[in-house]
Amino acid sequence: MRIGLILNPGFQSVCFGAVAAFDVANKQAGERLYDVRVLSEEGGLVASSLGMQVMTNGFDDAPYDALIVAVGLEIPTSSPGLVRLLRAAARDARRVAAICLGSFVLGDAGLLNGRRATTHWRYAQALQDRFPSCHVDMDKLFISDGPIWTSAGMTAGTDLVVGMIERDHGSDVARSVAKGMVMYHRRSGGQSQHSTLLDLSVNEDRIQRVLDYARQNLSETLVIDDLAEVACLSPRQFTRLFRSETGTTPAKAVEALRVEAAKLMLEQSRLPIEVIAREAGFANRERMRLAFGRVHGEVPRAIRNEAGPLATL
């Protein structure tokens, strides 16, 4: 499969880490599964955001299985030539993809119309405003909507490529690639870009210790007395300190951690929902359903269905 990595001037060099997954797939398979070519509109040397220059080939009429657009740290300006190429590629290539802010280039080419897409969370609203017919989901690491693939951030481009490899050659090959790159396999397209622990970021070591303990023991009861003991505080002192540090109650924080863990299992595993409810610390699937309604406004089954074929039962 021929893969074209299209470099925009000022591109982020981390994009090569993403397409390196194709190279690892070749090595792991012991054969050339992918032929990666580096392209630009004019060909020749293209400078990265760090000033590193990379030799590229100009656009040609060769057939590509996938074209991947790599840009820099700002919303890019799409040249007419690149827009024409991507429009033609959408007719001929099996996939057209963008890493991070490259989604704006796909939008300029009209490829996001009526589709789901993602981009870096900081620019998600700008993408939505610029392309109102696109459904922008900032809560995904990558999204594949038919032939159009987009990733949330620069490093999420690697998740996107591993997702392509899994779609092409199955989970065993993708798992081998992820292991070879020392990364998570299936940090999949439904996983939130934000961590509950980051949202609850605290300065108090005792509260951080409690949050770490809770995340590692979600299947336990986790009542106030037990959490206070981990913090070496009385229940009243603990509750007051927890709220002042996090802005929420211990019960709501634990629920958010459980929902996050359950959401990940829904998206990345084939476990029955009842089992996921128990593993995440909910007494049953009904309690998990109510918690998902409070946190996400959706039921667990809808979350699993939205994750797409990588998590389909």
Side-chain angles (χ1 to χ4, degrees), residues 45-202:
L45 292 172
V46 178
S48 74
S49 59
L50 294 175
M52 176 184 68
Q53 292 190 322
V54 175
M55 181 58 70
T56 66
N57 295 313
F59 296 163
D60 55 32
D61 295 327
Y64 285 88
D65 180 80
L67 289 173
I68 303 174
V69 178
V71 301
L73 295 175
E74 303 293 337
I75 295 176
T77 299
S78 304
S79 70
L82 179 54
V83 167
R84 284 195 299 271
L85 170 78
L86 293 175
R87 286 174 177 166
R91 295 190 297 268
D92 301 328
R94 187 160 64 97
R95 294 176 291 211
V96 180
I99 297 174
C100 195
L101 299 182
S103 54
F104 284 85
V105 180
L106 300 193
D108 287 339
L111 303 185
L112 300 186
N113 295 338
R115 296 190 182 276
R116 296 171 60 242
T118 191
T119 193
H120 191 283
W121 60 267
R122 186 175 282 117
Y123 296 91
Q125 189 58 53
L127 186 69
Q128 185 66 81
D129 293 343
R130 186 156 158 179
F131 307 109
S133 69
C134 171
H135 173 65
V136 179
D137 190 343
M138 64 173 285
D139 196 37
K140 303 291 190 243
L141 280 173
F142 73 87
I143 289 175
S144 63
D145 186 340
I148 307 301
W149 295 58
T150 50
S151 82
M154 291 294 177
T155 58
T158 308
D159 298 275
L160 180 149
V161 171
V162 172
M164 286 185 173
I165 294 169
E166 180 165 17
R167 188 72 60 84
D168 294 339
H169 301 288
S171 60
D172 288 344
V173 173
R175 188 177 297 110
S176 177
V177 170
K179 184 176 180 180
M181 298 185 71
V182 195
M183 61 175 285
Y184 287 107
H185 171 232
R186 300 279 298 277
R187 196 173 63 132
S188 75
Q191 185 180 340
S192 173
Q193 294 185 51
H194 301 288
S195 162
T196 297
L197 286 184
L198 288 178
D199 291 340
L200 295 172
S201 180
V202 296

Side-chain angles (χ1 to χ4, degrees), residues 186 264-276 285 288 300-313:
R186 300 279 298 277
L264 190 60
M265 285 187 277
L266 285 166
E267 293 164 343
Q268 298 190 6
S269 79
R270 297 177 179 272
L271 292 172
I273 291 179
E274 189 69 43
V275 173
I276 291 174
R285 64 186 298 164
M288 185 170 76
R301 175 63 64 183
I303 296 288
R304 168 161 273 173
N305 291 341
E306 287 175 2
L310 292 181
T312 300
L313 286 175

